[in-house]
Amino acid sequence: MASSSGVLSPLQDVRRRVGAWTRDDDHATLKLVTGITLLGLALRLAFLGQRVAHFDEGRVAYWAWHYGESGSFAYRYIIHGPFIQHVDSWVFALVGTSDFAMRLPVAVVGGLLPLSALLFRRHLRRSETVAMALLLAINPLLLYYSRFMRSDVLVAAFMFVAFGLFVRFYDTRLPRYLYAASAFMALGFASKENALVYVVTWLGASGLLLAKVIVLPNGYRDAILFSTDTPSSGEIRARVVGGAKDRIDAGRGAIRSFRTRHDSAAKVVGAYAGHLVLAVLLFGFVSLFFYAPRGAGVPGIEHPPVPASEGTVGFWEGITNPALFGDLLQVTVDRVADQWGEWLQPASEKTSDSYVSHFGVYLKALGFGSAALALLAGVGYALDRLGYTAPRHLVPFLFYAGFVSIFGYPLGTDIGAPWLAVHTAVPFALPAAVGLAAIFRWGLDALSSDDAEGVGITAIAFFLVILFVTNAAVTQVYTNATTDGNPLVQYAQPEQSLREELTEMHRISQTHDSGPDVVVYHGESGDDYDGGNAYVKQSRDDWNESWWNTQPTCIKWYNMLPMPWYFASSDAQVACENGATALGTRIQQNQPPIVITQEFDSTVPRDRLRAAGYENETYSMRTSGYKNVFTVWTHEEYVRNETAR
């Protein structure tokens, strides 16, 4: 064993000082977790509005903007839960429409998630609680999608906090935790429909945990004994029956203990039943608040939209008028049942090949964005099962929950998306914290015993974890955040160089008032018309037709996302053209500041545009596909005039 060296002595001094502080300060863990949470918030808020909006971000942000502008809202499962639409509309009203504003709610919720580690503190060591908060704060996958306006981080955070509050209710029996859990579950269901999957996952993990408790109560030790000395069927039966009896006896003992600690079991059960009913009512009220229609409801978001003032039964009308409350409930329940029914329908075209493809995307995102977390989760689970750490049911429970999600989510989704890996990373944080804290304690033990080699091995392990996490965060979250080579980027992401054009368009639209700010052009027709990729509707008769109020209605709206969000947030006036002659006349007479064309469109009058004073830059609307490339033509004189102002 190496003796204490000049390197170990300062480390030992630091260890003594920190150890004394944590022993003397009852709030040391709280302070550390709070500091880590502030770090997580800072990491999420830094440069939050820099990345160009993804297809999904633009789609949902548009409808949040539309709600704020029109006053009408109706739940549609295709947009996912209504939580983000409501909250974003409030944020837009306060700070204006921008990419920073639309992502702010997700960033705040994701940044506060490390505080959830405190909910499990009765079942974790202090080092494990701090480690869990740290993993939730700096995990690159969670960091990337906390800076992304989708509801996956929202539902993961709300449902995980709800689970932690249920654990606290179990620990303390205080009804306030039951109410809080109910409210957070409602927020989870209001965030995204797969909150239901969390409940199913909890039930499945409970079943696996129960099987483990009955069949292998000592974890891997029982499994090793089973493999080395296989018992007979009678011995297996006796073990299972005996284990079940032991659990039943333990349950009876808990009931007897409960009875001795309370005057009347009936009164206690009645009181908790009352709290349970109130908690369910709270869940219902929060859900009603988010899911209920506003303004004109569905007619208010269709085209042409019905004014919000013509709505008859919305949330505020039903809440403030008891005579309408029943109608409000009926309208909301019918809408939710209809939309959830569509969401629950299995994908008709799901094949084994698509599952393999989605599974590959999931594993790639988990591997590149959360490899350290997943590896540490496996270490923590193994240590718990082998008995190297105090066995706790929470460790295998959350490991099971995260592990089965790896196989379940690719089966249930219709697209392969890296953001789904969030639903494995969050539950993995607790067993991973057990593993990380165990390595940390081994290092402290080595330091206490002057074991330089042990300290060195621990330092190398921590260095590798820090290196991987830092490298992934820098190269996947803050740089290369829109490139196809980034495993966390889903293909419907425009390239980052478009940002300069978007800033220019926003600036121009604020001052230009003589005709459209932007003209979108697509000229190919007939057999040459690419209806699957074109930006402009083929028939001019359809230019003012749309099922939903997706403005501008002359474009093929979904092909052009996220540009409709930028048109809306910039208050840009947009027109369309589908003939080269008509476009030529427009650029000669009216000279719109910006013209958008598509590279694969052979009818684009490029020479006439250049001759009329337009400069062009080409960008990708998606990470791949030559038909996703488009060109932005900006009139040079107008830009110069604007710059001079």
Side-chain angles (χ1 to χ4, degrees):
M1 181 179 293
S3 60
S4 179
S5 66
V7 175
L8 294 186
S9 294
L11 293 177
Q12 290 169 339
D13 183 58
V14 171
R15 181 186 183 281
R16 284 191 293 269
R17 291 174 180 271
V18 174
W21 172 62
T22 56
R23 285 191 302 270
D24 297 338
D25 190 340
D26 294 335
H27 302 294
T29 302
L30 175 61
K31 292 176 180 178
L32 288 171
V33 171
T34 300
I36 290 170
T37 302
L38 292 175
L39 170 65
L41 277 170
L43 291 174
R44 284 154 176 80
L45 294 177
F47 311 109
L48 183 61
Q50 183 180 44
R51 179 175 50 80
V52 175
H54 180 273
F55 172 105
D56 272 7
E57 290 183 296
R59 180 179 56 143
V60 180
Y62 172 86
W63 286 111
W65 167 87
H66 185 278
Y67 171 36
E69 290 291 311
S70 69
S72 292
F73 161 82
Y75 165 58
R76 289 193 294 149
Y77 82 93
I78 198 67
I79 308 296
H80 292 310
F83 176 88
I84 191 63
Q85 291 183 65
H86 287 286
V87 177
D88 260 355
S89 68
W90 303 335
V91 174
F92 293 163
L94 289 174
V95 301
T97 53
S98 67
D99 287 344
F100 177 89
M102 78 166 177
R103 294 173 183 143
L104 184 60
V106 181
V108 171
V109 171
L112 294 177
L113 182 58
L115 289 175
S116 65
L118 295 171
L119 297 173
F120 304 96
R121 61 188 181 275
R122 183 170 291 190
H123 303 269
L124 299 175
R125 295 170 177 256
R126 287 186 295 182
S127 58
E128 292 169 343
T129 302
V130 174
M132 181 178 172
L134 184 63
L135 291 170
L136 289 171
I138 66 173
N139 175 261
L141 178 68
L142 296 180
L143 188 56
Y144 187 95
Y145 284 107
S146 292
R147 298 164 53 83
F148 193 104
M149 202 276 274
R150 267 192 68 89
S151 294
D152 288 272
V153 166
L154 294 176
V155 67
F158 290 144
M159 295 303 287
F160 190 67
V161 169
F163 175 75
L165 288 165
F166 281 126
V167 171
R168 286 294 293 168
F169 174 65
Y170 172 83
D171 292 339
T172 65
R173 306 298 196 271
L174 295 175
R176 64 172 178 263
Y177 290 113
L178 181 63
Y179 294 126
S182 178
F184 271 93
M185 278 194 71
L187 293 177
F189 275 83
S191 294
K192 195 178 178 185
E193 294 79 7
N194 69 311
L196 181 62
V197 179
Y198 274 80
V199 178
V200 174
T201 301
W202 295 345
L203 294 174
S206 298
L208 291 172
L209 186 62
L210 182 62
K212 184 271 296 182
V213 168
I214 293 176
V215 180
L216 300 172
N218 297 314
Y220 287 156
R221 293 181 180 180
D222 285 344
I224 293 172
L225 289 174
F226 184 91
S227 62
T228 57
D229 185 16
T230 305
S232 65
S233 60
E235 290 173 327
I236 294 175
R237 189 183 309 109
R239 173 183 293 181
V240 172
V241 172
K245 288 182 177 179
D246 290 342
R247 299 301 163 186
I248 292 173
D249 291 340
R252 288 173 176 171
I255 293 173
R256 286 193 295 268
S257 174
F258 182 86
R259 286 176 175 174
T260 59
R261 289 183 285 111
H262 298 84
D263 296 334
S264 171
K267 289 183 179 179
V268 173
V269 171
Y272 277 113
H275 288 305
L276 181 61
V277 170
L278 290 175
V280 171
L281 290 175
L282 177 61
F283 177 91
F285 180 80
V286 175
S287 298
L288 180 65
F289 175 81
F290 285 105
Y291 279 100
R294 303 297 200 278
V298 173
I301 63 175
E302 292 178 333
H303 181 78
V306 172
S309 59
E310 296 185 17
T312 55
V313 182
F315 177 78
W316 296 112
E317 291 83 0
I319 289 295
T320 57
N321 186 346
L324 294 177
F325 185 73
D327 293 337
L328 171 65
L329 280 179
Q330 188 65 50
V331 169
T332 304
V333 170
D334 288 348
R335 183 67 183 173
V336 171
D338 173 74
Q339 293 296 294
W340 273 70
E342 292 190 31
W343 178 76
L344 288 169
Q345 288 180 358
S348 58
E349 298 181 357
K350 181 62 66 66
T351 64
S352 59
D353 289 341
S354 65
Y355 175 77
V356 171
S357 174
H358 298 169
F359 184 68
V361 172
Y362 197 106
L363 279 185
K364 189 175 181 181
L366 190 64
F368 283 89
S370 285
L373 180 73
L375 180 62
L376 288 170
V379 171
Y381 174 75
L383 293 177
D384 178 87
R385 295 294 79 221
L386 291 170
Y388 285 107
T389 60
R392 288 155 289 183
H393 293 327
L394 273 177
V395 176
F397 182 96
L398 288 172
F399 183 81
Y400 297 152
F403 186 74
V404 298
S405 296
I406 298 175
F407 303 93
Y409 272 95
L411 183 64
T413 184
D414 57 346
I415 60 172
W419 51 69
L420 293 175
V422 164
H423 305 297
T424 288
V426 171
F428 266 5
L430 190 145
V434 172
L436 183 63
I439 296 172
F440 179 71
R441 291 195 304 274
W442 292 338
L444 290 183
D445 292 342
L447 185 62
S448 298
S449 59
D450 289 339
D451 182 1
E453 291 181 0
V455 173
I457 293 172
T458 304
I460 291 173
F462 270 90
F463 173 76
L464 292 175
V465 170
I466 294 170
L467 179 65
F468 181 87
V469 171
T470 303
N471 177 70
V474 171
T475 61
Q476 296 171 14
V477 179
Y478 297 103
T479 62
N480 308 313
T482 64
T483 57
D484 192 35
N486 185 342
L488 301 185
V489 175
Q490 205 261 358
Y491 75 92
Q493 171 68 57
E495 66 177 282
Q496 185 58 32
S497 57
L498 179 60
R499 171 59 69 189
E500 185 176 349
E501 295 287 358
L502 297 173
T503 303
E504 186 78 354
M505 182 183 70
H506 179 83
R507 182 178 59 79
I508 291 173
S509 64
Q510 303 307 302
T511 57
H512 180 252
D513 55 6
S514 57
D517 305 309
V518 180
V519 173
V520 183
Y521 173 81
H522 186 89
E524 291 190 352
S525 60
D527 294 338
D528 294 328
Y529 180 78
D530 193 317
N533 293 279
Y535 288 168
V536 179
K537 293 179 180 178
Q538 184 172 15
S539 173
R540 299 180 75 96
D541 295 337
D542 297 333
W543 281 9
N544 196 38
E545 297 295 326
S546 178
W547 182 268
W548 302 110
N549 192 32
T550 48
Q551 297 290 338
T553 57
C554 61
I555 67 172
K556 294 181 74 66
W557 202 77
Y558 292 96
N559 288 354
M560 210 173 183
L561 279 171
M563 292 303 294
W565 151 246
Y566 288 112
F567 295 153
S569 62
S570 299
D571 195 24
Q573 301 302 309
V574 181
C576 294
E577 286 293 353
N578 64 347
T581 301
L583 178 63
T585 300
R586 186 185 285 271
I587 62 178
Q588 289 294 335
Q589 295 180 355
N590 301 324
Q591 293 189 333
I594 297 172
V595 176
I596 296 177
T597 65
Q598 293 180 267
E599 277 297 285
F600 73 90
D601 184 357
S602 60
T603 71
V604 176
R606 293 174 174 81
D607 292 339
R608 295 183 67 179
L609 282 163
R610 293 190 182 96
Y614 286 87
E615 299 177 353
N616 63 295
E617 293 290 343
T618 300
Y619 307 95
S620 294
M621 189 70 82
R622 309 286 179 254
T623 59
S624 61
Y626 78 96
K627 290 192 175 181
N628 289 318
V629 177
F630 69 106
T631 301
V632 178
W633 302 81
T634 306
H635 195 275
E636 58 184 3
E637 287 191 16
Y638 184 85
V639 173
R640 280 200 298 271
N641 289 338
E642 285 297 317
T643 304
R645 295 177 189 177

